[in-house]
Amino acid sequence: MNVDQPAVAVADEIELVGIEKRFQTADGVVHAVATTNINVRQREFVVLLGPSGCGKTTILRMIAGLLQPSAGEVRVARRNLWNGGQRDKVALQELGIVFQEANLFPWFSIEDNVALPLKLRGVGRRERLEKARALCDLVAIKGFEKRWPRELSGGMRQRAAIARALSYDPEILLMDEPFGALDAMTRDTMNLEIQRIWMSQKSTVVFVTHSIGEAVFLADRIILLSPRPGRISSVTEVSFPRPRQMAIQTMPEFQAIVRTLREQLEAMG
Amino acid sequence: MNFVRRHMTWFTTPALIFVFLVAWDLYCRWSGIHPFIVPRPGDVVMQYGKLLQLKSLWNHTYITVYETLVGFFFACIIGIGGGALLGKIQWLEETLRPFVIATQVIPKIALVSLFILWFGFGSEPKILVSTILAFFPILTNTLLGVKSVDLGHKDVMKSLNASRWQTFSLLELRSALPAIIAGLEVGIVLAYIGAIVGEFAGGTQGLGYLTLEYQNQLNAPGLFGILIQLTLIGFVLYLAIIVIRRALIPWHESVLVERPQPLA
Ligand SMILES: Nc1ncnc2c1ncn2[C@@H]1O[C@H](COP(=O)(O)OP(=O)(O)O)[C@@H](O)[C@H]1O
Ligand SMILES: [Mg+2]
C-alpha cells in the first residue's frame, strides 16, 4: 500500500518560546539574546547565520541544555527541557551535539570516543564497539578505530565527533560551526557528508555558521541573526532539491540568495 | 638519520661517563692529591666490587628501598587522594592551604629528631620523613591537573548528562594523569632522599646509616662505593616511574618516541 499519507500536524521538534539570555559579568549585564521565538520542524535542517558575537552559540547552548535561559521556555522533542534547575533526562537523550572543536578525549581511542555516550548509558563493551565500528563506517573513518585522536587530521577528528553525537541515535543534531576550523576544501567535503548523514539518519539539525555559502548550501531554512542583543533579523526558505551537489553554488538562484543575505549582513554594519 | 637520533643516548651516555672517568683519573695522577681524599676511579670501582660482596650491603639496601617505597606509597595516597579532593572542593582547598604549605616550609630535617623521639630507631620515622617530603609535589600536581580540565571536554560530559562519578573517573582523573605522573617522578626521588636523611639521623640500618658509619671510619673509597650504590638504586626507582608512565598514559606526548604524522 503506497498511498501518500495525509499531512498530520506533528508538534515541532524544537520550540524556543520567548527565550532570552543575559550574562552577569564583572562590568555589568551582557544582553546576549533578546526575546526570541524559534520553531524547528521534525527532520528540518535549520541554519542559524549571523556575524561573530550575535548570540548563535548562546542560542545553541540553550537548546542543548548547557545554558539555562534567563527567560522563556525551551521544548525539545515535545518536552520541557528545564524543570526548575533540573534538565529533562529524556529530552537530553534526543540531543546530539557537535562543537567547533572535536573535543575528543585524547586518552581514548577513536572507537572508545565514539562509544563514550553508550558507555555512560551502561551499554556493554561488545555492543558499544560494534555500534562504534558501524558509525566510523558511516562517517567514513573506517580503519582508524584503534588510533589515538591526535593521530587524525582535523577533518577526521570532526567526523569522529559527529559519530559520537550519533551513537545513541538522537532525533536532533546540534552543530556549532563544526567545520569552522577546517580548510575550505575539507569544509566542502564535510558539508556534502553532513547532508548525506542527515538524509540517512532522518534527524533534525540545527547548524550554526557565519559562512553564507555554507548556510545556503545546507539549509532548508536560514535564520539570520543580528547582534547586540541577538535577535532574528530574517528567515529565508531554501528549497533546492536534495541531495545537493557542490555545483549548485554556481546557479543564479543560489547566488541570488547569497547576495540577499550578504546585503542584509552588511546592513547590520 | 631518525634511527641515529632515537638511539643516540645509547652511545652518548657511556661515552660521557668514559670521558668523565678519564678526566677524574688524570686529575688524581697529575694533581698528586692524596688517594684518601679523592681515590682514583679504578680503586673506587674495585671498592664498589668489594662492597657488593658484603651481605650487609644488601640488607642495608633492602631497608632503604623498603622505607622509600612505603613512604612513597603513603605519599601517593595522601597526594593523589588529597589533591583530587582539594581540586574538587574549593573551600576545603582554601581552608587547608596554609597547613599544607606549613608542612613544606618547616625544615623537615628538624622533624626527624622529633619523629625518632616518638617512634624510636626503627623504620617508622624514616618512612614518615619520606612521606612528608614526597607527598607535596604529588598533591600540588594532582590539584593542578584536576583543576585544569578542558572546558570543551566538560561540555561533552555535561551534554551527555554524565554523573559526577563518571565525569570524575572518565574525564577529570584521566586528564590529570600526566600531571600526577610528573608529580610522582619528583615524589619518588624525594621519598628516597627522605629515607636516607632519616637514616642519617639515627638507627643502625640502611644506606644512610652505612654512609655515616664509613664517614666515622674515615673510609673514603667506601663512601665512594656507597655513592655508586645510592645512585644506581635511585636510577632504578626513577625508571620504575617511567615504566608506569608508559603503561598509564600511552596516549600522552611525553611517552611518544616520535611525533606521529596526522593521517590523511
Ligand atoms: N559566558 C558568558 N559571559 C558573558 N558574556 C558572554 C558569555 N557567553 C557569551 N557572551 C556574550 O554574548 C554575546 C554572544 O556570544 P555568542 O553566543 O558566543 O556569539 P556567536 O556564537 O554568535 O559568535 C557576545 O557578546 C559574548 O561576548
Ligand atoms: Mg559561536
Side-chain angles (χ1 to χ4, degrees), chain A residues 107-137 145-146 163-164 166-169, chain B residues 160 166 170 174:
Chain A
W107 46 89
F108 286 148
S109 65
I110 291 297
E111 61 184 2
D112 282 336
N113 266 290
V114 171
L116 173 70
L118 301 177
K119 187 188 180 84
L120 297 180
R121 283 166 171 70
V123 177
R125 182 165 174 82
R126 267 194 45 189
E127 194 182 332
R128 262 189 347 244
L129 292 186
E130 228 163 81
K131 179 92 200 210
R133 252 166 251 144
L135 283 162
C136 286
D137 200 10
E145 292 91 341
K146 307 275 181 214
R164 178 178 61 191
L166 295 174
S167 65
Y168 46 102
D169 300 313
Chain B
L160 294 171
Q166 286 173 329
L170 297 175
R174 287 176 202 243

Side-chain angles (χ1 to χ4, degrees), chain A residues 61 87 104 107 120 150 153, chain B residues 153 155 158 170 251 264:
Chain A
R61 289 174 71 85
R87 300 178 299 170
L104 301 175
W107 46 89
L120 297 180
R150 58 135 194 257
S153 66
Chain B
H153 290 162
D155 275 348
K158 196 174 170 202
L170 297 175
W251 53 272

